[in-house]
Amino acid sequence: MNSIKGQLYRPIAQWTGQLILPSLAQRHSDGGVYLTLENTPQPYRHLKGQTVWLKWHSNSIHQTWINRAVTDIHFDETTRQSMENFNIHPTRLEGWSNVSPLESLAGARPDDDIQVELDVQTVEQVGNTWVVSIGDEPIQIVGVQKALVQFVASVGDNRYRVRHYNPQTRNFDGGEETIALPDAGFQHPGHQVEQSSIIDIETSPLNADGWYIYGAHNPEGLFIVGAIKPAAALSLAPTRMLSGREEARQHFVESKWEQIPLHRMERTLVDNNGGILYGNQRSSGLMQKRTRELWYKGDVGLVVHTFGWRGGERGDRAILGLVPGHFAFGFAQVIADEFTGDLRFDLVYRQVYGHNREGVIAGAHRWHSYMGSFKRGWMYSLPVSDVVIRIPELTVPYQLGDRQFDPLQTILQELAFMETRYRTGPGNGASVVTPATSCVKDSSQSLFAAIQRLKTEVISDRTVKQWVENHPTHFEVQRFKRLELLLEQVEKSMLIPLGYVPQNWRGENQEVAAHRSGVSFNASTILEALKAWKTMLPRRAEMELMRVLMQYGGTMFDYQSAMIGGKISGLVPNPPTVIL
């Protein structure tokens, strides 16, 4: 790659690579896997391109559950029936004993095609092998490098002329080249609609701000793109603003999905604590000012992700008018963009995701991997919302005397545990969704488990209680007391509104969206599900959680879009619906 291209393209992350499932003979007792390194920091540049051993670090934040997630995998009739419906299951792990979380990730698809970003803690040489140890779960990505471009025109054969962003001029005059997007338009078996599109992408309203492209250069120097993301996707430049509790409530509870922003990105700053504003007061300057006052570089927010589905002549017919959609949590941090320097959110989904035709794997995903991948991304054909929530009681770590804790980290740990269990099912390699067990119920179950841990490990801790009693006026104590009330309200209003804890939410969370018997659901499981009825559908769960967080002063950024990217004909967006 020449020096000019080296200035235009940047590594996706400092540490990235492609997972390789070891053979039975190569397995280690530490549950690790092989990894071919594709990006490394400068001190470890000699390891780039080498295959190393990847394992958990002894101080990983996930040590509390890693051993509990180890399981044997033996396919049953449920798994085989699901495979006949084109769903992708971990076929290479069939018959394996003691499958580890890293093995279930590396072996989730038939081929070693999973690329990840790594939270590397240590790198050491053991004999002839380099061992890389990580603290957090690998984050799924697409590609090796990225660039910021505008699409100019198609040159045929899924190739496009693009212009690169120039940080000196802050325009797209940094050089023009042709790139290849071979997987755009990919169609999965059993689907009638292409997963992605780049048709007429240069006419998209989002092209003005450009697109991040993710991929790798081939030996001839041509950049092969596997995923894209509009630069406007997670920008901190709002397109509209809501102010005050009533406007915030109306948005999340009533009107949010009434007018879906088609082929564009609506970025709504929800100033839940602001005063009443009239239409002529909502100037661009005021929106920018309030954004700067509410969100700072380094701030972390909890993400609530929902999507609907695709209707229209080529889409799917909603049965009884119901569009369940999908629900997931994630985490986003305010960072300075690597190309423009502008502030934006850096978002990682923590997807509790059942086995599916697209090969989307339960686990941590960068936005471009989950939304913008040509083979698996959802931005091209679905209506999607990502709400980033900042509420100091929940999203800012605590220091109570000698005790430190971070509520978001506890939630992250429980989600990571659930994701791992979704990759293996209850040992049959199948996680299948029903009205009684689903992504939204099991994401909610993870939130419930995190709240129980916070109560047991922090709120009820004698040392913490003593420090709180001795410092009643301390700022951290006041915040901590509001956290107690907030968690209690989330439980009562959203998770267990009837006061009954579903049996499968107790103990080790043994029952998730997986079934050995092949029976989808029965009266008993439905009754259990109704105990947490507000978590049965994604839209209801989003509404109820937002009600509580707004009540406790949460500030939000709501990113909504539908069918962004290239054109796909014959589709209309169907929002997620509510029946209870």
Side-chain angles (χ1 to χ4, degrees):
M1 184 170 62
N2 61 41
S3 59
I4 295 177
K5 285 189 176 180
Q7 296 168 14
L8 299 175
Y9 290 90
R10 296 170 184 260
I12 289 180
Q14 279 199 322
W15 289 98
T16 75
Q18 188 159 311
L19 297 175
I20 300 172
L21 183 69
S23 67
L24 282 171
Q26 294 171 326
R27 296 178 74 195
H28 292 187
S29 59
D30 60 17
V33 296
Y34 288 113
L35 175 91
T36 299
L37 286 167
E38 295 173 324
N39 282 306
T40 62
Q42 189 67 12
Y44 297 98
R45 62 188 182 278
H46 60 286
L47 292 179
K48 188 174 180 178
Q50 292 195 31
T51 298
V52 301
W53 187 253
L54 181 71
K55 70 182 186 71
W56 296 104
H57 192 273
S58 58
N59 291 329
S60 165
I61 61 172
H62 299 301
Q63 283 297 336
T64 56
W65 61 260
I66 288 173
N67 291 333
R68 289 189 287 137
V70 172
T71 187
D72 302 341
I73 295 184
H74 299 283
F75 286 7
D76 62 9
E77 189 58 29
T78 297
T79 314
R80 296 185 184 94
Q81 288 178 2
S82 180
M83 291 171 64
E84 290 176 3
N85 197 34
F86 304 108
N87 290 317
I88 297 172
H89 292 269
T91 52
R92 291 187 292 164
L93 300 177
E94 159 69 329
W96 281 33
S97 299
N98 299 318
V99 175
S100 73
L102 289 177
E103 289 174 334
S104 70
L105 181 58
R109 291 201 287 258
D111 301 310
D112 290 325
D113 62 354
I114 299 169
Q115 292 174 293
V116 293
E117 173 186 336
L118 303 166
D119 173 33
V120 173
Q121 300 297 305
T122 60
V123 180
E124 57 184 339
Q125 190 169 16
V126 180
N128 295 324
T129 303
W130 283 91
V131 177
V132 174
S133 300
I134 54 175
D136 196 1
E137 61 179 327
I139 301 171
Q140 296 172 57
I141 59 172
V142 175
V144 179
Q145 294 176 304
K146 58 187 175 183
L148 178 57
V149 304
Q150 268 186 346
F151 287 94
V152 178
S154 170
V155 295
D157 194 27
N158 273 16
R159 297 190 178 196
Y160 252 89
R161 285 204 330 273
V162 297
R163 281 193 295 263
H164 283 265
Y165 179 81
N166 183 345
Q168 277 71 45
T169 64
R170 295 184 63 81
N171 287 313
F172 289 91
D173 56 10
E176 190 170 301
E177 70 169 325
T178 296
I179 60 174
L181 309 94
D183 289 324
F186 191 88
Q187 190 165 316
H188 291 277
H191 278 320
Q192 303 303 313
V193 177
E194 54 269 37
Q195 189 72 20
S196 57
S197 172
I198 53 169
I199 296 172
D200 295 335
I201 194 171
E202 71 275 17
T203 67
S204 165
L206 296 167
N207 197 44
D209 292 320
W211 304 79
Y212 301 99
I213 56 175
Y214 301 83
H217 288 92
N218 69 8
E220 290 72 42
L222 179 67
F223 193 71
I224 312 298
V225 182
I228 61 175
K229 179 176 79 172
L234 297 171
S235 162
L236 257 73
T239 56
R240 69 168 184 159
M241 175 181 176
L242 303 175
S243 184
R245 296 292 171 91
E246 180 56 24
E247 283 194 354
R249 186 200 65 80
Q250 287 181 355
H251 173 70
F252 287 113
V253 178
E254 298 175 11
S255 63
K256 171 171 173 167
W257 291 96
E258 288 180 356
Q259 293 185 334
I260 300 173
L262 191 61
H263 309 313
R264 62 186 178 87
M265 179 70 66
E266 188 84 271
R267 303 184 297 272
T268 304
L269 174 65
V270 183
D271 186 5
N272 181 47
N273 303 311
I276 297 174
L277 294 175
Y278 297 100
N280 59 1
Q281 293 178 296
R282 299 168 200 260
S283 65
S284 174
L286 176 63
M287 289 193 291
Q288 292 174 12
K289 177 176 180 291
R290 286 302 288 152
T291 300
R292 289 193 300 268
E293 291 170 347
L294 293 170
W295 292 92
Y296 292 83
K297 184 178 178 181
D299 281 352
V300 177
L302 177 69
V303 176
V304 172
H305 164 80
T306 50
F307 69 53
W309 201 244
R310 50 197 177 213
E313 60 183 85
R314 294 184 62 214
D316 298 316
R317 183 172 59 88
I319 300 175
L320 300 176
L322 178 64
V323 180
H326 176 63
F327 178 102
F329 286 113
F331 304 89
Q333 184 174 30
V334 179
I335 65 166
D337 185 81
E338 309 95 310
F339 294 93
T340 67
D342 296 333
L343 294 183
R344 65 171 174 85
F345 283 114
D346 187 32
L347 191 158
V348 177
Y349 297 108
R350 302 286 170 158
Q351 289 286 345
V352 175
Y353 210 101
H355 291 97
N356 55 88
R357 296 176 179 181
E358 294 77 23
V360 178
I361 301 168
H365 288 259
R366 285 285 175 199
W367 195 100
H368 75 271
S369 166
Y370 176 77
M371 290 280 285
S373 163
F374 290 141
K375 286 188 175 181
R376 300 176 181 89
W378 291 121
M379 75 175 190
Y380 305 93
S381 64
L382 300 186
V384 182
S385 164
D386 288 311
V387 184
V388 187
I389 305 146
R390 181 183 181 276
I391 180 166
E393 287 75 16
L394 187 67
T395 60
V396 178
Y398 286 80
Q399 179 78 50
L400 299 174
D402 295 332
R403 183 68 183 272
Q404 295 179 335
F405 75 97
D406 183 353
L408 286 189
Q409 181 170 294
T410 303
I411 297 172
L412 185 153
Q413 290 167 335
E414 294 299 327
L415 287 168
F417 178 41
M418 186 66 76
E419 295 157 15
T420 295
R421 302 200 54 239
Y422 255 60
R423 293 198 294 269
T424 62
N428 64 350
S431 294
V432 292
V433 174
T434 75
T437 53
S438 64
C439 56
V440 59
K441 286 200 72 65
D442 290 330
S443 292
S444 299
Q445 182 182 158
S446 297
L447 178 59
F448 180 79
I451 291 174
Q452 301 315 300
R453 278 188 52 202
L454 286 169
K455 285 182 175 181
T456 302
E457 298 174 7
V458 181
I459 295 174
S460 299
D461 182 83
R462 272 189 278 180
T463 304
V464 171
K465 289 176 107 175
Q466 187 64 55
W467 198 88
V468 168
E469 290 175 7
N470 292 340
H471 301 81
T473 61
H474 196 284
F475 172 74
E476 288 287 83
V477 170
Q478 299 301 313
R479 194 163 65 94
F480 180 66
K481 289 181 176 179
R482 291 195 297 271
L483 174 67
E484 288 187 68
L485 296 173
L486 170 63
L487 298 179
E488 197 69 31
Q489 194 63 38
V490 169
E491 276 194 0
K492 290 180 178 179
S493 296
M494 174 199 176
L495 298 174
I496 48 172
L498 302 180
Y500 297 101
V501 180
Q503 187 172 354
N504 58 337
W505 285 24
R506 303 169 191 169
E508 290 294 306
N509 301 335
Q510 290 302 315
E511 299 297 329
V512 295
H515 307 271
R516 287 187 181 277
S517 63
V519 178
S520 295
F521 58 96
N522 52 38
S524 175
T525 56
I526 288 293
L527 182 60
E528 282 295 304
L530 287 173
K531 291 179 180 178
W533 66 273
K534 290 184 179 180
T535 67
M536 288 183 68
L537 289 173
R539 175 70 177 119
R540 171 61 69 185
E542 179 199 40
M543 287 169 54
E544 298 302 332
L545 183 57
M546 289 302 136
R547 283 185 205 265
V548 178
L549 298 182
M550 287 186 293
Q551 177 185 342
Y552 281 82
T555 299
M556 297 87 173
F557 234 111
D558 192 354
Y559 294 87
Q560 278 189 278
S561 64
M563 302 175 182
I564 55 177
K567 295 177 180 177
I568 301 179
S569 63
L571 298 181
V572 295
N574 283 339
T577 52
V578 176
I579 58 173
L580 294 173

